Amino acid sequence: VLISAPSAPSGVTFNSDALTQLDTQANGSCDAHIWYRVAPDVATGDIVVSFSGSTAVNVSAVSMYNVDQSTPFGTAVKGTGTFGTAEPSLDVTTTYGDLVFDVVATEAGITSSAPGEGQTEIRDNVTGGHNVIITSRKYAESTTTTMSHDLAGSGTPDWAHIAVGVKAAASGGAVNILL
């Protein structure tokens, strides 16, 4: 579950089962978060994101299969910046075939985005409002995979970026994604 919010969630559940927070990155009033659950229920259920108070939030859910159940992720990489001085770009240490995904959270002022070379956009909620969320994915083809986004907008909104590789199960085959 990929989240953009101005504060950290106090918890995330799917079908009433708790998820684990993989990582978070904050910058100004925008936070990027990644939460996950290994071997979730095979069911149609609700994802509930809880906060200690009322807040605006953007959430994107991704379901993956053929993932290593004991070590599902590589090391997450994080970055921050301000529009006009830097673009979101992270180099993730990967193994050939990892499915690398990322989330960028931004403050108001970003009006459009384009994913970097070879990336497929999962979600782009760039409405010019607060808590913009941009997510993408890409299969690793080497030991370093770059995840980047070209932002457009006005002002100097801050952004926060997290990227991580998802490891394939030892039985072989690629990590696959269901959207």
Side-chain angles (χ1 to χ4, degrees):
V1 175
L2 311 168
I3 302 169
S4 170
S7 60
S10 55
V12 179
T13 62
F14 168 68
N15 207 26
S16 299
D17 295 326
L19 276 66
T20 301
Q21 184 175 23
L22 177 69
D23 218 328
T24 189
Q25 178 65 53
N27 188 23
S29 64
C30 61
D31 292 10
H33 309 274
I34 300 175
W35 291 68
Y36 72 97
R37 181 160 178 88
V38 174
D41 296 338
V42 178
T44 300
D46 291 329
I47 295 171
V48 178
V49 181
S50 301
F51 291 88
S52 60
S54 129
T55 191
V57 64
N58 241 310
V59 178
S60 185
V62 178
S63 179
M64 299 178 199
Y65 61 97
N66 198 35
V67 174
D68 186 310
Q69 299 295 290
S70 60
T71 310
F73 299 102
T75 302
V77 181
K78 306 184 293 186
T80 61
T82 302
F83 176 69
T85 61
E87 295 285 343
S89 183
L90 298 172
D91 289 331
V92 183
T93 300
T94 53
T95 300
Y96 182 85
D98 286 357
L99 178 62
V100 184
F101 68 94
D102 70 345
V103 58
V104 177
T106 77
E107 295 174 331
I110 300 301
T111 56
S112 68
S113 71
E117 183 180 342
Q119 291 170 229
T120 300
E121 194 168 75
I122 297 172
R123 181 170 182 210
D124 185 347
N125 185 12
V126 180
T127 60
H130 197 70
N131 299 321
V132 172
I133 188 170
I134 304 159
T135 59
S136 67
R137 63 187 163 97
K138 175 182 187 177
Y139 282 105
E141 297 178 347
S142 70
T143 57
T144 301
T145 301
T146 300
M147 299 297 285
S148 63
H149 296 269
D150 222 0
L151 304 178
S154 61
T156 56
D158 290 328
W159 53 261
H161 189 193
I162 304 174
V164 66
V166 180
K167 304 294 181 186
S171 59
V175 174
N176 289 293
I177 190 168
L178 300 170
L179 298 175

